[in-house]
Amino acid sequence: MLLVAAPIIIHLIHRMRYRKVRFAAMEFLFASQKQNRSRVLIEQLLLLLLRILIVLLVVALIARLIIDPNQLSLFQGAKSHHVVILDDTVSMQDRSSDGTLFDEAKDVVRRIVAEGAKTPGSQIFTLSLMSAPEKTLSGLSETDINDELLIELTERLEVLSATFQAADPATALEVAQERLAEDRSAVRHVHVISDFRASNWLDNKAATSLLQSLNKAGIKLNLVKCASEEHENLGVTKLGGQVEVAAAGVPVTLEATIQNWGVRDADDIRADLFIDGNRLPRTIDFQTIPSGEEMTRSFDVIFPTAEAHQVRMKIRDDAFEADNQRFLAIDVPESNPVLIVDGSPATEQAFYIADALAADQSITGFSTTVVTPEELRRTPLGNFDLVYLINVPDLAPDAVAAVEDYVSEGGGLVWYLGDAVSPAFYNEKLFKVDEGLFPVRLAVAPQQTERTLTESTAQPDLVPEQHPLFKLFMNSEVPILDLVFINLAYPLAEVTESQPNISRDVSTIATLRGQQPLILEHQLGKGKILTCLTSAGPLLNSEGSVWTNWANGPASFSFAVFQLELAKHLVRSDRTLPQFEAGEEIELVLNQAFYEPEIEVVSPDDQVNRVQATPAAVGEEEPASSPSLEVRYQETNQPGIYEFILSTTQSEKERRLYASNVPAQEGALSLVEDQKLLNQLGPDVEIEIQQAGSFDWIRNDSPGSEIRWFLLIALAIICIGEQFLASKLSYVS
């Protein structure tokens, strides 16, 4: 403004400099002056405007004027803070024309710093990884952008690779908001460099809210896309099965699921199976998987030895490699121990269950131990995967507490009744409306089943509901269960105003012909309980009537099938080796009396690390003398099997396997559309979306260079015009 005022002031001063000259014909001169006054004023104003314009053009050149605001550079000379959120999740490992999407993302980061280094001292740089935004890389947080930073960043990016983890962009945006909240820079930028998958950004209310909040705080938002197009993809999303009942030499049924994330049907899909690193001479054929759907296949596997085993399934020939395989760790015992507590004379009822479960241990994988109710108090239940309580009259209080603890911690329990049962004990000590060991209140005595003699109204005694335990029988063309007779069973007690006759959350999975509950299922803590209101075997009552013929009648083979399915359904699952997602922490709690603190960890790439267990924190309810050690292992980015080798105080080695897998949802590679993202943010949010492969927004030349030559030419022409008018229109002394 001062420069523009200079020619105006000079012009006014010049107007004040004149000399009085007396000469004749003054009247003529006054008349001539009035006639030419307007023309002279216009000429003088035109000359003044040219001089003002010269000053403005010089200022425009120095200020690097540009015409289109959209062409403004990221680096305008003002103090700026650039927070770059680099997406390093597993989907960034997808291939592009020049490598991976993560390689392109790293190139964008390099370009930003390289441009900022041209104006050192005015720019601040922070790099945040989406997988761990709270852990900024050393030396790359709130650092001045200069040539030294560019060299260091280039070296760090060379060894940086995308993880196998999933991450919510909202977490990284929240950390960026907290980091910039107290920042006093003139301009604050947040650059999100990602593939912008629809699964992460579309309908993500938390991320949308944070973007709106950042914009409201005056922070400039720049979303840089690395992926330009989608492609077909298949992914192994599940690998598991009935691993709880695995036993050495016994077939165990596993299941695998493959998801078709693409928009076209996938044909002739095959997968290879590996056990302990060795490929089996078979393939799992999934045939055709329709677009957007998943398909599950079941297959049997035999583990020859009792130890921890590794299972891996891998798809053949798929574009996105990261989700083409899945891992499973299985701890295979010699057998699955089952405890049978029988209150019948000579434990005669227990043998029907024992024969069904373990007639041939090499085929079923179960081993049984039979005890009396008195021996139950001296039997450690933690050694068993499943417990049967058959025709038990009553239990001591400490035995009841032991059974409750066993089930609550994940054990399975089966009740069978009989003539020795004391209904009063069951109703008073075992039944609870909420979370009890026994699910119903019993009547004072068993009841005879009433049957009609007319064939037209005949119906089976055992009427199953839709439940996995009866799946094999329901699908059979032969009505096997019609041959099962239930002559005696305990009915439920009458409902009173103060006391119901059944606990909450109890499912009836089979009834008698009169709709009276017969087999019930409920849960206590982490464990499941199944209750059968009749006997396990052909028990005779005082009148010589057999309670049921299921265990020794014409349908006795179905009794064995039912017990095996029941054992698989209820067997405790808390001993199953856990599965983790890549990047999740693996935590071990060890008894210091049995284990040494030094542990070897073998990662999936066969690297051996030694970690030291530390004393576990003592909880408020835990005695201070509790000898526990804990290990928190966090280096789990690589998918695969992590082997922990523990040393016992008796100098023995113990192996524990943990499977780490790529998050299943990361296989959804569909991209969010720009317009949908903008609509989600709303019209008031100012945001820039840069397309994949475009680097025009990172300027490599000085801003305003596109009109610099125009300004120089205009300045030369106006200077010439000003000199011409000045010589012609200047005042003459």
Side-chain angles (χ1 to χ4, degrees):
M1 293 296 294
L2 291 174
L3 289 173
V4 170
I8 300 176
I9 295 172
I10 294 172
H11 176 78
L12 294 176
I13 293 174
H14 187 71
R15 288 291 304 269
M16 295 173 62
R17 297 178 60 192
Y18 60 90
R19 291 184 302 166
K20 293 182 180 180
V21 180
R22 295 179 180 276
F23 54 93
M26 294 295 295
E27 294 295 333
F28 173 76
L29 290 175
F30 284 143
S32 176
Q33 182 186 21
K34 289 181 179 180
Q35 183 177 356
N36 297 317
R37 185 175 183 178
S38 298
R39 180 181 59 80
V40 172
L41 181 61
I42 292 174
E43 291 174 346
Q44 294 298 319
L45 288 176
L46 179 60
L47 180 60
L48 176 61
L49 290 175
L50 286 177
R51 290 169 176 170
I52 293 173
L53 186 58
I54 289 173
V55 175
L56 291 175
L57 288 175
V58 172
V59 171
L61 280 171
I62 297 174
R64 300 177 182 179
L65 175 69
I66 67 171
I67 301 301
D68 184 3
N70 292 326
Q71 298 299 319
L72 279 171
S73 169
L74 291 174
F75 307 95
Q76 303 175 54
K79 189 73 172 180
S80 301
H81 188 178
H82 298 266
V83 175
V84 177
I85 299 175
L86 178 60
D87 187 352
D88 63 336
T89 58
V90 63
S91 63
M92 293 291 286
Q93 296 187 34
D94 198 11
R95 305 296 301 179
S96 65
S97 57
D98 299 323
T100 67
L101 300 181
F102 192 65
D103 293 333
E104 296 186 7
K106 292 192 293 184
D107 187 46
V108 173
V109 178
R110 274 191 294 264
R111 287 173 181 259
I112 291 176
V113 175
E115 180 62 27
K118 295 179 180 179
T119 55
S122 63
Q123 311 291 325
I124 299 175
F125 175 78
T126 296
L127 179 63
S128 177
L129 298 178
M130 192 174 287
S131 64
E134 68 284 349
K135 300 178 183 178
T136 54
L137 299 178
S138 175
L140 299 180
S141 176
E142 300 184 12
T143 307
D144 289 335
I145 298 181
N146 49 38
D147 291 336
E148 289 77 13
L149 176 63
L150 179 59
I151 295 173
E152 180 184 358
L153 178 71
T154 302
E155 294 175 352
R156 300 282 289 274
L157 291 179
E158 284 293 331
V159 297
L160 188 64
S161 58
T163 68
F164 288 87
Q165 305 171 27
D168 187 351
T171 304
L173 291 172
E174 184 177 8
V175 172
Q177 185 181 44
E178 294 173 355
R179 185 170 283 129
L180 293 174
E182 303 299 327
D183 194 283
R184 294 292 181 264
S185 300
V187 183
R188 295 171 295 172
H189 298 268
V190 171
H191 310 279
V192 183
I193 307 175
S194 172
D195 50 5
F196 292 93
R197 304 296 180 184
S199 58
N200 292 330
W201 292 91
L202 197 60
D203 298 327
N204 189 334
K205 295 182 180 179
T208 301
S209 176
L210 285 164
L211 288 173
Q212 293 169 341
S213 179
L214 288 167
N215 180 257
K216 188 176 181 180
I219 299 172
K220 298 184 180 299
L221 300 173
N222 188 32
L223 308 184
V224 185
K225 302 176 69 174
C226 297
S228 57
E229 58 184 16
E230 305 171 3
H231 60 78
E232 302 300 304
N233 181 44
L234 299 171
V236 185
T237 56
K238 295 177 185 176
L239 180 60
Q242 298 176 339
V243 296
E244 299 89 352
V245 294
V250 178
V252 57
T253 301
L254 300 183
E255 290 183 346
T257 301
I258 294 180
Q259 173 82 41
N260 181 2
W261 299 105
V263 296
R264 293 193 294 269
D265 294 352
D267 299 323
D268 194 24
I269 305 304
R270 300 175 184 272
D272 295 320
L273 194 64
F274 298 80
I275 303 296
D276 297 327
N278 300 315
R279 181 179 175 275
L280 298 186
R282 59 183 293 193
T283 59
I284 310 301
D285 189 2
F286 288 81
Q287 299 176 347
T288 299
I289 306 178
S291 168
E293 296 184 12
E294 65 180 20
M295 184 168 292
T296 300
R297 287 285 185 265
S298 299
F299 48 93
D300 290 338
V301 176
I302 297 177
F303 300 98
T305 57
E307 60 180 326
H309 291 276
Q310 305 178 22
V311 182
R312 178 169 70 102
M313 170 167 280
K314 188 176 188 304
I315 304 175
R316 298 181 180 180
D317 304 327
D318 186 59
F320 184 45
E321 290 286 341
D323 66 345
N324 284 352
Q325 59 183 351
R326 204 159 188 85
F327 299 87
L328 176 67
I330 303 178
D331 193 3
V332 179
E334 284 289 347
S335 64
N336 297 283
V338 177
L339 178 66
I340 305 175
V341 183
D342 189 1
S344 305
T347 62
E348 58 186 18
Q349 294 286 296
F351 293 107
Y352 292 99
I353 302 296
D355 286 344
L357 293 178
D360 189 341
Q361 181 180 317
S362 63
I363 296 177
T364 65
F366 289 98
S367 60
T368 58
T369 300
V370 179
V371 299
T372 64
E374 291 75 18
E375 295 173 312
L376 174 62
R377 303 176 62 184
R378 301 185 298 273
T379 305
L381 299 182
N383 296 336
F384 298 92
D385 294 341
L386 181 62
V387 174
Y388 279 79
L389 294 178
I390 301 174
N391 201 16
V392 173
D394 54 30
L395 294 172
D398 56 346
V400 173
V403 175
E404 285 182 341
D405 292 341
Y406 168 78
V407 178
S408 297
E409 293 172 1
L413 176 65
V414 181
W415 289 101
Y416 275 100
L417 304 186
D419 55 3
V421 166
S422 172
F425 171 78
Y426 280 66
N427 295 342
E428 295 174 8
K429 303 299 183 181
L430 301 180
F431 171 77
K432 294 179 183 178
V433 177
D434 294 301
E435 296 189 348
L437 275 179
F438 203 74
V440 297
R441 285 197 308 117
L442 298 175
V444 295
Q447 180 178 318
Q448 187 82 28
T449 303
E450 296 182 1
R451 300 184 180 87
T452 58
L453 298 178
T454 57
E455 186 176 353
S456 60
T457 60
Q459 60 177 337
D461 289 348
L462 178 61
V463 183
E465 304 290 337
Q466 291 292 336
H467 192 276
L469 291 179
F470 296 103
K471 182 178 179 180
L472 294 175
F473 308 120
M474 302 291 285
N475 295 336
S476 175
E477 296 181 359
V478 179
I480 301 172
L481 297 182
D482 289 1
L483 302 176
V484 176
F485 291 96
I486 311 294
N487 297 319
L488 286 170
Y490 268 95
L492 274 58
E494 295 292 333
V495 178
T496 65
E497 294 182 0
S498 61
Q499 189 78 302
N501 63 358
I502 190 167
S503 302
R504 296 189 180 96
D505 301 324
V506 173
S507 301
T508 300
I509 65 174
T511 63
L512 284 172
R513 58 170 58 218
Q515 299 301 310
Q516 173 185 325
L518 179 66
I519 304 177
L520 306 99
E521 182 182 22
H522 73 288
Q523 190 155 347
L524 176 62
K526 298 179 182 178
K528 297 178 182 178
I529 301 175
L530 186 131
T531 303
C532 184
L533 300 181
T534 188
S535 65
L539 183 66
L540 293 175
N541 69 351
S542 58
E543 299 177 357
S545 178
V546 178
W547 281 58
T548 176
N549 74 335
W550 196 2
N552 68 339
S556 59
F557 70 93
S558 67
F559 181 79
V561 172
F562 178 78
Q563 296 305 323
L564 289 171
E565 292 299 316
L566 174 60
K568 294 176 183 178
H569 181 67
L570 295 185
V571 68
R572 66 183 307 156
S573 60
D574 59 329
R575 293 173 181 168
T576 303
L577 297 180
Q579 295 192 46
F580 297 88
E581 288 189 351
E584 272 192 270
E585 179 181 81
I586 298 177
E587 180 180 359
L588 280 75
V589 178
L590 308 173
N591 190 325
Q592 191 173 359
F594 298 107
Y595 295 99
E596 298 290 346
E598 187 174 83
I599 299 173
E600 288 186 5
V601 182
V602 182
S603 60
D605 55 359
D606 295 329
Q607 297 295 317
V608 179
N609 300 314
R610 285 179 170 81
V611 297
Q612 198 76 13
T614 58
V618 179
E620 296 180 358
E621 301 179 356
E622 189 176 358
S625 60
S626 177
S628 296
L629 296 172
E630 67 176 2
V631 177
R632 297 180 179 274
Y633 191 75
Q634 298 178 336
E635 305 299 322
T636 60
N637 173 63
Q638 185 74 22
I641 302 295
Y642 289 82
E643 180 180 0
F644 286 70
I645 303 176
L646 311 178
S647 298
T648 68
T649 53
Q650 286 77 32
S651 300
E652 297 177 349
K653 297 293 185 179
E654 179 180 320
R655 296 170 64 240
R656 296 189 185 182
L657 303 184
Y658 297 87
S660 175
N661 287 297
V662 171
Q665 70 275 12
E666 283 295 294
L669 301 181
S670 59
L671 305 177
V672 62
E673 298 178 9
D674 293 356
Q675 193 57 49
K676 287 185 178 180
L677 184 58
L678 293 174
N679 293 341
Q680 186 171 275
L681 293 172
D684 299 329
V685 177
E686 296 181 6
I687 193 168
E688 294 290 334
I689 300 179
Q690 313 297 342
Q691 300 304 316
S694 173
F695 301 104
D696 293 341
W697 55 278
I698 307 177
R699 306 200 62 81
N700 293 318
D701 54 359
S702 299
S705 61
E706 68 273 8
I707 63 168
R708 183 177 300 166
W709 288 106
F710 171 78
L711 293 176
L712 286 171
I713 295 172
L715 181 61
I717 294 174
I718 292 175
C719 285
I720 294 172
E722 186 273 340
Q723 288 295 309
F724 175 76
L725 289 178
S727 62
K728 182 177 180 181
L729 304 177
S730 296
Y731 290 102
V732 180
S733 299

